[in-house]
Amino acid sequence: MEPLIRLENVSFSYKINEQTKVPVLRDIDFSIYPGEYVAIIGHNGSGKSTLSKHLNGILTPDNGDVWIHGYNTKNVNQKRAIRQTVGTVFQHPDNQIVATIVEEDVAFGLENINIPREEMRQRVDEALDVVKMSPFRHRPPHHLSGGQKQRVAIAGVLAMRPECIVFDEATSMLDSFGRKEVLQVMRKMNDKGMTIITVTHHMSEAAEADRIIVIEGGQIVMDGPAREIFKHKHELEQLQLEVPAVSQMAELIHNRFAEFSKDIIQESEFIEEVVKLSKEEVS
Ligand SMILES: Nc1ncnc2c1ncn2[C@@H]1O[C@H](COP(=O)(O)OP(=O)(O)O)[C@@H](O)[C@H]1O
Ligand SMILES: [Mg+2]
């Protein structure tokens, strides 16, 4: 299968002035395939946001290349095609809201690419429906909760019908309820075949993904299935990262009751294990 996004030896520095450069990304190589659900994790300042901005051409590498479906992000003529393939949802919902009415906000990107009225209405309806915000369509966004605003921002991206959405810490300003709402949308869109890339420092969110890429000092230090990555508890600790809370709890229980599996990364698995063992206890 052709990769959707391919990074080849990508390096990048921020230029502060003529003399000063801040090197951030170093020799990054990886591919993302259609339909994947990938989490990118790393501690603060490790380069996650800089990397995210390379995934749809907001930033372009100093060395190396980023290919989106074979388009090079350095090719200015293909910026529009690239932005329509990969959409991004950022951390602060307030910075992403541009209109004074929810449905106008969702339609904003479509107006810019001259989508005909009828199709625009259809796309906005559909996007609001996916994020369960249709009842709020005529409301001003600034009265909404953080989670609701973030879902409006997601609807704006969905309306563009991208093949992939990058979420850069998109749940970090939200309470646990808002976070759950946004996570459900990610899961639902991935189930429909959309490629999801989520940048997060919540390990419970990373555990929802199928694959985890770990970044440290602007370099990829681990890349593999989520379950494999979370087996490296000590290496993760050295990178100031930890395994999900349910994995820690499962290990503690396993140490007392060996029959309780410690190979657990998701809340649902933890609950299943408890149910399974309590049934065995009864019979
Ligand atoms: N606009 C910028 N100008 C200069 N340095 C920056 C800029 N944005 C980020 N950095 C620096 O780049 C490094 C990586 O930042 P970032 O990609 O935001 O990491 P993360 O998202 O993992 O916290 C940090 O040292 C940060 O200070
Ligand atoms: Mg960041």
Side-chain angles (χ1 to χ4, degrees):
M1 202 191 315
E2 274 278 297
L4 176 57
I5 301 176
R6 186 153 60 94
L7 280 77
E8 279 180 345
N9 300 317
V10 167
S11 299
F12 176 82
S13 306
Y14 288 103
K15 279 141 214 82
I16 308 298
N17 55 42
E18 287 297 315
Q19 292 87 37
T20 323
K21 278 198 208 165
V22 182
V24 178
L25 302 181
R26 286 181 289 162
D27 261 340
I28 295 203
D29 255 301
F30 63 79
S31 295
I32 306 246
Y33 291 87
E36 278 198 292
Y37 187 165
V38 183
I40 298 177
I41 63 175
H43 66 73
N44 256 345
S46 56
K48 302 182 297 298
S49 292
T50 307
L51 177 60
S52 316
K53 289 179 184 146
H54 277 78
L55 303 180
N56 71 349
I58 298 174
L59 294 176
T60 53
D62 299 331
N63 287 305
D65 292 290
V66 179
W67 304 91
I68 314 283
H69 265 328
Y71 296 134
N72 193 313
T73 56
K74 284 178 186 160
N75 187 338
V76 286
N77 299 326
Q78 286 164 343
K79 280 237 148 46
R80 178 177 270 200
I82 288 167
R83 300 274 163 89
Q84 282 179 44
T85 308
V86 183
T88 309
V89 180
F90 296 99
Q91 185 171 11
H92 295 280
D94 290 314
N95 300 351
Q96 298 172 79
I97 305 281
V98 288
T100 51
I101 298 294
V102 165
E103 64 178 7
E104 286 171 12
D105 193 80
V106 176
F108 184 78
L110 299 177
E111 308 233 4
N112 282 336
I113 55 169
N114 306 317
I115 298 289
R117 282 270 138 214
E118 190 46 39
E119 185 181 342
M120 201 185 302
R121 188 163 27 228
Q122 220 176 332
R123 287 194 188 200
V124 170
D125 286 352
E126 199 183 284
L128 283 170
D129 188 49
V130 170
V131 301
K132 300 208 179 89
M133 286 299 287
S134 303
F136 299 86
R137 61 185 308 148
H138 301 300
R139 304 263 190 99
H142 60 268
H143 286 321
L144 303 175
S145 72
Q148 290 170 332
K149 279 184 204 166
Q150 200 61 312
R151 282 187 285 151
V152 171
I154 296 170
V157 174
L158 288 176
M160 303 291 284
R161 300 200 172 146
E163 288 173 56
C164 171
I165 303 186
V166 179
F167 294 84
D168 185 2
E169 308 263 10
T171 65
S172 65
M173 304 303 286
L174 310 181
D175 57 23
S176 62
F177 185 73
R179 181 172 301 155
K180 269 206 182 104
E181 293 173 330
V182 170
L183 281 175
Q184 278 167 3
V185 176
M186 290 186 202
R187 167 55 55 209
K188 185 160 147 186
M189 293 318 296
N190 184 249
D191 288 344
K192 288 185 181 182
M194 188 178 275
T195 310
I196 302 292
I197 303 174
T198 177
V199 172
T200 180
H201 58 249
H202 290 285
M203 294 306 128
S204 59
E205 285 184 33
E208 291 290 317
D210 300 316
R211 170 181 169 197
I212 295 181
I213 295 175
V214 186
I215 178 170
E216 159 73 9
Q219 285 182 303
I220 305 298
V221 290
M222 293 187 202
D223 181 352
R227 200 170 293 285
E228 289 304 313
I229 297 293
F230 285 133
K231 283 183 182 152
H232 299 271
K233 189 177 169 197
H234 296 293
E235 284 99 317
L236 289 171
E237 273 168 7
Q238 278 164 6
L239 301 168
Q240 301 169 47
L241 298 168
E242 48 187 13
V243 298
V246 287
S247 308
Q248 298 178 33
M249 231 181 321
E251 192 183 352
L252 288 175
I253 300 174
H254 173 83
N255 291 343
R256 290 281 301 276
F257 306 99
E259 60 272 44
F260 196 96
S261 171
K262 59 176 179 176
D263 183 21
I264 281 173
I265 62 171
Q266 291 177 354
E267 212 172 90
S268 58
E269 294 172 341
F270 187 90
I271 294 166
E272 271 167 35
E273 189 67 9
V274 172
V275 170
K276 190 181 104 196
L277 290 182
S278 54
K279 273 188 187 148
E280 281 173 14
E281 194 66 26
V282 171
S283 59

